[in-house]
Amino acid sequence: MSDDTSIRPKLALTDSQWRAKLTPAEYRVLRKAGTEPAFVGEYTDTKTEGVYRCRACGAELFRSDSKFDSHCGWPSFFTPLAGGAVIERADDSLGMHRVEVLCANCGSHLGHVFEGEGYDTPTDLRYCINSISLTLEPKAD
Ligand SMILES: [Zn+2]
């Protein structure tokens, strides 16, 4: 999936550059579209106010005010920070039809987005994002 040439991120590193920049666990999720186990990610239940950045490149992706309790085991957001912050594309791997969410700036894998699940949110979308794909920058006060 990460080798898909249809995604042309602004920040394009080689595979060995990504390996050097990321921990093995980060690399597996961000660059190889892995998924961290449910309920263990560091931001699953985080309520801290702030901005979630891409752990691979630092781009701003999500805001804490669009994070909600989905009880699915991963951090969940009902909208990205801005329309152009993420890229969405069809993912038919594992015999499922899903929509993959990638960082628009560096093309790294973030998670998937699901719709129509009936959560009480403004969009009825759930951006189900791996904690390890994010870095929370707490709001300064
Ligand atoms: Zn990124």
Side-chain angles (χ1 to χ4, degrees), residues 54-107:
C54 174
R55 193 173 295 190
C57 75
E60 296 187 353
L61 299 175
F62 296 95
R63 241 195 287 268
S64 58
D65 59 12
S66 53
K67 192 172 188 290
F68 68 100
D69 285 323
S70 66
H71 308 288
C72 74
W74 292 275
S76 298
F77 303 86
F78 59 78
T79 184
L81 186 146
V86 301
I87 294 168
E88 297 172 19
R89 70 170 172 193
D91 171 11
D92 293 316
S93 66
L94 307 178
M96 292 181 272
H97 177 71
R98 295 181 296 173
V99 177
E100 183 184 13
V101 182
L102 304 137
C103 172
N105 189 55
C106 73

Side-chain angles (χ1 to χ4, degrees), residues 32-48:
K32 293 295 167 192
T35 299
E36 69 189 2
F39 299 105
V40 301
E42 64 180 297
Y43 299 132
T44 304
D45 297 313
T46 301
K47 308 277 192 212
T48 307

Side-chain angles (χ1 to χ4, degrees), residues 110-133:
L110 304 172
H112 291 87
V113 57
F114 302 90
E115 68 176 317
E117 297 177 313
Y119 286 105
D120 184 18
T121 61
T123 60
D124 207 12
L125 295 172
R126 175 170 63 91
Y127 287 82
C128 181
I129 306 299
N130 293 286
S131 293
I132 203 168
S133 297

